[in-house]
Amino acid sequence: MKKAIVTGATGFIGKFLVRELVKQNVEVIAVVRRGTKNLNTINALPVKIVECNIADYHMLPDMIADRDIDVVFHIAWQGVSDLDARNEAIQMQNLQSTLDLIDAMHIMRIGCFIGCGSMHEAESLVEMNEDKVISNLGYMYKATKTAAHWIGKAKCGTYGIRFFWPLINTYGEEERSARLVNTIIRKVLHGALILIAEKGVDGTNYTIGSGDAKPLKEFLKIVGQVANDLHDGEPVELGFGKITSNVISLPITTFDVTKLYKDTGFKPLIPFRKGIERTARWIKEDEGM
């Protein structure tokens, strides 16, 4: 791999991916929102910045003259949590923009597409198969992620573009979203994508993870223990009360990473507890706790 486009290049996953690509001497074209205030995360790096809103990806063939790009890492996605995850217009734009990007890749003769899936997709497929009423508008996010995955895979197959949509659930230092792990830490006080692009078997559905799957409650206990160790004051007890909403229990095979290890050789270097310790320390320093 010599040249890559990264959409969402200033976001949490995107900026670390850009840094790693640069470290590996890959020429990077970073696609960012017009007027973004987050350019400081990558502007010190030797990358080409292209300002293009997500709704304008169909214009990329005119904005980027290069026709020797090897891969597109599509990280950009608006509204992954809170009210925007329920916003129909925002989520439908995400879907359309993903398909527009694949069309642009066909014009630009780019042969490999790497998206970013979500474990929410696996949850929704289980729940939607049950005979019951669904009233959670958070499915706007889950459904459009799934649609982008399925339709994108079909469109790439038609164009002869290698397609990957690994399922990812990230946390870590420099993450400022309101997602679960970081939220719990606050209340108590990227190598895999590149390997998939280089070595992945076309069309394979990879899951990126540690391979050490266990019930969510056990992970949350570790998060609470680590955060409390850094917390100045009385320990904050994690409350595991009665479940009052629908919880989807996915089979352990959903988190199987055998195909990822076998095809790419990827193995995480940082165990879950160590990653939580690093994240908790960063949050404490970042928020002046």
Side-chain angles (χ1 to χ4, degrees):
M1 185 194 321
K2 295 182 179 179
K3 187 179 294 188
I5 289 176
V6 179
T7 72
T10 60
F12 175 55
I13 297 175
K15 62 189 174 187
F16 284 106
L17 175 59
V18 169
R19 293 171 192 174
E20 183 61 28
L21 287 168
V22 169
K23 190 185 300 183
Q24 295 190 22
N25 297 315
V26 176
E27 186 177 342
V28 176
I29 301 172
V31 177
V32 303
R33 289 192 311 271
R34 289 191 180 92
T36 180
K37 298 178 181 178
N38 297 324
L39 273 181
N40 62 304
T41 61
I42 62 170
N43 63 4
L45 299 172
V47 303
K48 178 180 178 180
I49 304 294
V50 175
E51 294 193 6
C52 180
N53 290 339
I54 198 168
D56 298 326
Y57 283 172
H58 62 280
M59 299 170 60
L60 286 175
D62 296 324
M63 302 175 71
I64 300 173
D66 308 58
R67 293 296 181 267
D68 58 348
I69 299 166
D70 300 300
V71 58
V72 168
F73 294 95
H74 180 37
I75 314 299
W77 194 277
Q78 302 178 116
V80 298
S81 61
D82 301 327
L83 293 178
D84 283 350
R86 301 165 175 257
N87 188 304
E88 177 181 344
I90 289 175
Q91 297 305 325
M92 291 300 289
Q93 181 61 72
N94 285 323
L95 170 58
Q96 185 60 58
S97 297
T98 300
L99 303 181
D100 289 346
L101 178 59
I102 293 170
D103 287 335
M105 291 176 61
H106 177 57
I107 295 171
M108 298 169 72
R109 301 190 297 276
I110 304 172
C112 184
F113 174 96
I114 310 284
C116 272
S118 169
M119 283 297 176
H120 286 294
E121 296 175 50
E123 292 176 358
S124 66
L125 291 176
V126 172
E127 188 162 13
M128 284 297 180
N129 274 327
E130 298 178 0
D131 295 328
K132 65 180 182 182
V133 174
I134 301 292
S135 58
N136 176 10
L137 287 180
Y139 274 90
M140 293 291 183
Y141 167 73
K142 299 181 182 185
T144 49
K145 270 286 185 180
T146 303
H149 180 173
W150 291 10
I151 303 173
K153 186 173 184 176
K155 177 165 276 197
C156 280
T158 301
Y159 286 148
I161 296 171
R162 296 171 66 227
F163 177 92
F164 302 97
W165 192 269
L167 298 185
I168 301 172
N169 190 13
T170 57
Y171 71 92
E173 299 151 290
E174 300 186 42
E175 162 79 280
R176 289 187 170 86
S177 78
R179 291 188 295 174
L180 180 62
V181 170
N182 284 44
T183 297
I184 290 176
I185 293 174
R186 285 185 170 91
K187 285 185 179 295
V188 178
L189 359 96
H190 280 22
L193 292 177
I194 297 174
L195 284 172
I196 290 173
E198 293 177 338
K199 301 180 180 181
V201 177
D202 190 11
T204 302
N205 294 323
Y206 293 109
T207 298
I208 298 178
S210 67
D212 182 26
K214 53 174 66 74
L216 177 60
K217 184 175 180 179
E218 299 306 310
F219 283 116
L220 297 184
K221 285 180 179 177
I222 295 173
V223 174
Q225 291 166 3
V226 170
N228 269 316
D229 287 343
L230 292 176
H231 175 59
D232 298 323
E234 292 295 319
V236 177
E237 184 178 353
L238 289 184
F240 294 104
K242 182 179 179 181
I243 296 175
T244 58
S245 60
N246 294 324
V247 175
I248 304 303
S249 180
L250 296 173
I252 202 72
T253 53
T254 304
F255 306 95
D256 182 34
V257 295
T258 303
K259 289 185 290 187
L260 178 67
Y261 293 172
K262 178 177 178 292
D263 292 346
T264 72
F266 172 79
K267 292 185 178 180
L269 300 178
I270 301 176
F272 182 75
R273 179 180 286 273
K274 179 62 68 174
I276 292 298
E277 290 172 352
R278 287 174 49 169
T279 304
R281 282 195 294 269
W282 176 80
I283 289 175
K284 185 174 182 180
E285 293 173 3
D286 185 58
E287 301 191 357
M289 294 180 179

